[in-house]
Amino acid sequence: MKRLNILDGFRGYFLVFMVLNHVALRGGVWLVHVNHGELGYVQDAQGFVFLSGLMVGMVYSRRMTKQGFRAGALKMWRRALEIYRYTLGCLVGIVLLAVIFPEAQEAWRPWLLQLGDRDPLFVLAAALLVFQPTFMDILPQYILYMLVAPPLVWLCIQGRWRIVLFGSIAVWLAIQFGVHLPFIDTFHALAGRIESPGLLQIYFNLFAWQICFMSGLVLGALTMTGQIDWQRLMDPRRPALAWFALGVFLVFAALRLGLTFGVYPPDFVDRITLFDRRDELSFIYVANFAVDAYLIAWVLIAGPRTGNIVLATIATGLTWLFNQPFLRFIGRHSLQTYTLHVFLIYGIKALDVNFGPWTQATKTAVVIGAIASLALPALYRESRFFARKPASST
């Protein structure tokens, strides 16, 4: 299948902002605020997970259409195993570095807890993916989603995509109503009995965040099987939904900026905070991402056909941005790039704790250097020293 360069560019874009958002430097760094997340409740993880689902739907629906369910399912399950190997590689690599550099272990203790001490229970929990150290919590999502994805892709191919979509929404709603809480309480109680508090550490609720992946999967499968016509759906002659999306985007932007600059009264802030649950992907995160995604898609697809010079210019600018060679380059190898990002974030944290604090100029240089180094896995994998294989698509 011919790769869609702009999708690689989107993934590269979100990888860059993962580094920006995850860098932990004393005193902060101003670059963190040059961020789409400052304008609402859409952050890098939502986009990254959605795009991964979109690519899974596109790639494996095509494979299943041509070669049948079994061929596509085996490929997806092998991909899940590959992601698990990379997850273990992150865990083992960071723990080994903690052993070699005790100063780093102390810097990482809030992120690793007893895993840094090689506590057997934490090692087992990490291997079973129920203890996920800080910034190592995206890949376990993909493992679960890739394991369950084959029948869901098959349903989409068969035209029964509504079962997948409404099932995903039902699971997300169950989490919003707290169906999972008794199970979490039971696990924590058991961990307390064996004197291992913190044994369950999963920041992203997998059953809530699946809505990003599964919605992308459905759209990807419908796109590849011709069940959705994007040119017709994004018709410049019917801009009402785009105007609505823009209005909602502006509401969320005003809400976020107002909270940032402290312009709202305390009672209002307390009320909004109740709905701000990123770990469980509460409604404001889902709604904000949905309207932003629709708005960007509409501008890219319909904008050049509107005859409006402003919209056409914005569409050209977005196309230029997401087709930047660097973003496409790292986006083609997102699994390897994400893995490197984990080591970069941990390394920067250790250096800052032991040799910082640094000036803003130094911190800016460190962050820019970290972003530039994201190209290293892609450079290696596309070099003559690497046995050439088709670039990963999920």
Side-chain angles (χ1 to χ4, degrees):
M1 183 184 76
K2 182 180 179 181
R3 295 189 71 90
L4 293 175
N5 288 334
I6 196 168
L7 295 183
D8 288 329
F10 272 112
R11 292 203 293 183
Y13 172 87
F14 287 120
L15 284 165
V16 166
F17 279 94
M18 275 191 190
V19 172
L20 272 178
N21 289 326
H22 291 170
V23 164
L25 292 167
R26 282 181 287 176
V29 58
W30 69 273
L31 270 178
V32 172
H33 300 292
V34 184
N35 194 323
H36 56 266
E38 298 289 314
L39 296 175
Y41 294 86
V42 175
Q43 299 170 346
D44 43 270
Q46 291 148 280
F48 198 66
V49 173
F50 172 80
L51 286 168
S52 295
L54 185 70
M55 294 298 288
V56 166
M58 294 176 69
V59 171
Y60 295 106
S61 63
R62 183 181 179 88
R63 182 177 292 272
M64 284 186 176
T65 300
K66 288 187 173 182
Q67 302 175 9
F69 173 82
R70 179 179 173 81
L74 289 175
K75 189 73 174 177
M76 277 188 264
W77 291 332
R78 291 192 192 105
R79 180 63 171 170
L81 180 60
E82 180 185 17
I83 297 171
Y84 182 66
R85 289 199 298 266
Y86 272 87
T87 303
L88 290 184
C90 282
L91 292 166
V92 172
I94 293 297
V95 170
L96 283 177
L97 288 172
V99 172
I100 297 170
F101 303 105
E103 297 85 357
Q105 179 179 347
E106 288 306 310
W108 300 336
R109 188 170 296 279
W111 294 351
L112 296 177
L113 301 183
Q114 288 95 311
L115 181 63
D117 300 320
R118 284 85 66 200
D119 182 301
L121 281 176
F122 275 79
V123 171
L124 177 61
L128 295 175
L129 307 180
V130 295
F131 176 77
Q132 299 169 10
T134 304
F135 305 131
M136 299 190 209
D137 39 21
I138 289 282
L139 296 185
Q141 286 191 65
Y142 293 155
I143 295 169
L144 174 64
Y145 301 157
M146 293 299 286
L147 289 174
V148 303
L152 305 181
V153 173
W154 187 251
L155 284 171
C156 292
I157 293 173
Q158 302 300 313
R160 291 180 285 176
W161 57 270
R162 292 174 183 83
I163 297 175
V164 180
L165 185 59
F166 290 124
S168 174
I169 294 172
V171 172
W172 174 78
L173 281 173
I175 298 302
Q176 305 311 304
F177 285 106
V179 171
H180 61 300
L181 295 178
F183 300 98
I184 292 177
D185 291 342
T186 300
F187 191 100
H188 282 308
L190 291 174
R193 288 185 179 180
I194 57 177
E195 299 183 353
S196 293
L199 198 60
L200 176 65
Q201 179 172 293
I202 302 175
Y203 177 75
F204 294 110
N205 187 300
L206 305 180
F207 298 101
W209 276 77
Q210 54 76 31
I211 197 169
C212 284
F213 187 91
M214 296 307 169
S215 59
L217 181 149
V218 169
L219 291 174
L222 294 181
T223 299
M224 196 50 57
T225 55
Q227 298 180 66
I228 188 170
D229 184 346
W230 289 105
Q231 296 295 327
R232 183 179 177 185
L233 187 64
M234 307 290 179
D235 191 339
R237 296 169 298 180
R238 295 194 293 270
L241 193 55
W243 280 111
F244 173 78
L246 176 61
V248 177
F249 164 78
L250 292 174
V251 168
F252 280 120
L255 181 60
R256 173 64 86 178
L257 290 171
L259 291 171
T260 299
F261 293 104
V263 301
Y264 299 131
D267 289 345
F268 180 79
V269 173
D270 292 341
R271 174 92 33 120
I272 293 300
T273 302
L274 292 174
F275 298 97
D276 187 350
R277 290 296 305 269
R278 183 170 179 260
D279 56 337
E280 294 180 355
L281 204 67
S282 57
F283 175 77
I284 56 176
Y285 287 93
V286 174
N288 201 170
F289 180 75
V291 297
D292 283 16
Y294 179 84
L295 194 59
I296 291 173
W298 194 90
V299 170
L300 287 172
I301 297 171
R305 296 182 288 145
T306 60
N308 185 304
I309 190 170
V310 175
L311 282 174
T313 301
I314 295 173
T316 300
L318 289 175
T319 302
W320 173 85
L321 172 63
F322 295 116
N323 274 297
Q324 286 300 297
F326 176 77
L327 298 182
R328 299 202 322 259
F329 191 49
I330 65 176
R332 285 199 297 271
H333 305 277
S334 56
L335 175 58
Q336 294 75 23
T337 305
Y338 176 86
T339 302
L340 174 62
H341 130 277
V342 172
F343 286 93
L344 288 172
I345 297 305
Y346 273 75
I348 291 171
K349 173 69 172 178
L351 291 172
D352 180 60
V353 168
N354 288 285
F355 301 104
W358 299 321
T359 65
Q360 279 294 329
T362 301
K363 289 187 284 190
T364 300
V366 168
V367 173
I368 292 174
I371 291 172
S373 70
L374 293 177
L376 292 175
L379 285 170
Y380 171 69
R381 288 174 63 82
E382 296 194 12
S383 72
R384 61 188 178 87
F385 300 104
F386 184 79
R388 291 184 178 274
K389 297 178 181 180
S392 171
S393 298
T394 61

